[in-house]
Amino acid sequence: MADSATPVPVVHQQKGGTRRPTLSRRREVGHASARSLLMTILGEYVLPRDQAIWTSTLVEALRVLDIEEKSARQALARSSAEGWVVSERVGRRVRWSLTPPGRRLLTEGAERIYAFGNEEKTWDDRWLMLIVSVPEAKRDLRHRLRTRLTWAGFGSPVAGVWVSPDLSRQREAQQIVQELGLDAQAMSFTAAYGDVGDQETMVARSWDLSDLKDRYEDFIDRFTGLRPSGERGVLRAQTELVHEWRSFPFLDPRLPLKLLPDGWSGVRAADLFHRKHVEWRPEAQAQWDELVGASG
């Protein structure tokens, strides 16, 4: 499996010692982690059904994806410790249910994943510009600001300046600078691009689309000709399809088509994902039900 940036759950501490689950993204090299695959399984198959799942079912589902039993059980334990799932002992067996925070997280994730690439928003040629600078000495703060604004789809053509063609991101930008204690020196503007320079150059300086293009093309190459076979072949293919696709809403700044290169591979990848997901879904869900039934 190609190197991919995958959202993985972590737990942050709030005032008063209360723990709340949230998301963090890390770059995973090599095979997808057991925990990230578990989250995909929970979102694709467990979330739509209001029922607890035996450990053996989840272990077997991960085995289909080449995850060893020890790693599968460790993934369950970590997900439980982080507040996403809760266990219940029934005799000598254990079954798992989503917690309310886990259900909310996966519901929001499902909405983002399945809607992404399905609709093209119209653009009125206006930009949101955020000006906020952080002293070089405060490197950790600079890193946190860059990470969060990048996640929100902003690009930076020059130091201290962030831009987005999505004006609705202004509230999120305001929240970010407030939480980082930078709101006192931050400024925002909304405007059309002027006559000095050109938008194409600004876009190229603000976002490195070459790596994203390569990821989309790898996705297309991997799933275009895939014909699942075997007892759990469609279950595996559907899970891997969703797992690979779920990183793109976090990686793609979702620029309007007129700002993207001609023949942008993200359009073809989105069409492929939605078409394959619809095609494979009935059989994948049926194979999951068989897996649940086999666990008793």
Side-chain angles (χ1 to χ4, degrees):
M1 186 172 295
D3 166 27
S4 64
T6 305
V8 293
V10 296
V11 173
H12 287 283
Q13 199 79 13
Q14 288 183 316
K15 292 180 180 179
T18 303
R19 290 154 63 86
R20 64 172 178 86
T22 186
L23 277 179
S24 176
R25 187 176 68 191
R26 68 180 182 188
R27 184 176 280 279
E28 294 180 352
V29 180
H31 294 291
S33 72
R35 185 171 55 159
S36 63
L37 283 169
L38 174 63
M39 295 301 290
T40 299
I41 290 169
L42 293 174
E44 184 70 9
Y45 306 108
V46 177
L47 179 65
R49 297 164 171 82
D50 187 20
Q51 62 185 81
I53 301 297
W54 296 113
T55 300
S56 57
T57 302
L58 295 170
V59 168
E60 176 60 18
L62 286 167
R63 187 197 64 77
V64 170
L65 298 162
D66 299 327
I67 299 298
E68 295 180 353
E69 180 176 347
K70 179 180 178 181
S71 297
R73 291 181 180 275
Q74 288 174 341
L76 275 167
R78 292 176 67 186
S79 298
S80 176
E82 290 160 354
W84 307 114
V85 294
V86 61
S87 63
E88 175 191 9
R89 183 167 291 279
V90 181
R92 301 178 64 181
R93 304 178 70 190
V94 174
R95 59 186 181 185
W96 300 84
S97 302
L98 293 170
T99 63
R103 183 168 291 277
R104 282 196 303 271
L105 170 75
L106 292 175
T107 299
E108 292 169 3
E111 291 171 354
R112 182 186 292 250
I113 290 167
Y114 302 134
F116 183 70
N118 235 356
E119 298 179 359
E120 174 57 28
K121 295 181 180 179
T122 57
W123 185 48
D124 62 1
D125 293 337
R126 291 199 300 158
W127 290 89
L128 168 62
M129 180 171 66
L130 177 70
I131 300 176
V132 55
S133 59
V134 180
E136 178 66 31
K138 298 183 178 180
R139 293 187 177 182
D140 180 64
L141 183 58
R142 286 165 63 94
H143 174 73
R144 290 162 62 195
L145 177 67
R146 173 172 293 276
T147 298
R148 294 191 62 179
L149 287 176
T150 300
W151 267 58
F154 283 82
S156 179
V158 294
V161 177
W162 294 86
V163 295
S164 170
D166 186 352
L167 302 191
S168 69
R169 294 288 183 181
Q170 186 153 206
R171 177 177 292 182
E172 186 173 0
Q174 183 180 34
Q175 182 179 358
I176 290 170
V177 296
Q178 284 179 343
E179 291 179 355
L180 295 178
L182 296 169
D183 49 318
Q185 60 259 48
M187 296 176 284
S188 67
F189 304 86
T190 58
Y193 194 88
D195 295 330
V196 180
D198 60 83
Q199 284 192 134
E200 291 77 9
T201 300
M202 184 187 73
V203 169
R205 293 177 63 176
S206 302
W207 293 276
D208 180 8
L209 298 177
S210 58
D211 180 63
L212 181 60
K213 175 177 177 288
D214 289 342
R215 289 175 184 269
Y216 274 132
E217 292 183 351
D218 286 344
F219 180 88
I220 292 168
D221 290 344
R222 179 174 181 185
F223 292 103
T224 294
L226 183 60
R227 300 291 182 267
S229 61
E231 184 181 6
R232 308 288 185 206
V234 179
L235 178 70
R236 174 173 180 144
Q238 181 82 325
T239 306
E240 291 181 342
L241 179 81
V242 174
H243 189 76
E244 290 294 313
W245 184 250
R246 81 178 205 185
S247 65
F248 286 114
F250 297 92
L251 297 170
D252 193 331
R254 287 155 281 179
L255 301 178
L257 274 178
K258 67 186 299 183
L259 296 177
L260 293 167
D262 292 338
W264 176 241
S265 54
V267 175
R268 290 182 288 122
D271 177 71
L272 176 65
F273 168 76
H274 292 290
R275 181 161 42 84
K276 289 290 187 182
H277 189 264
V278 170
E279 176 187 338
W280 290 340
R281 189 178 189 281
E283 183 61 23
Q285 295 291 330
Q287 290 184 7
W288 170 263
D289 289 335
E290 290 173 5
L291 204 62
V292 172
S295 297

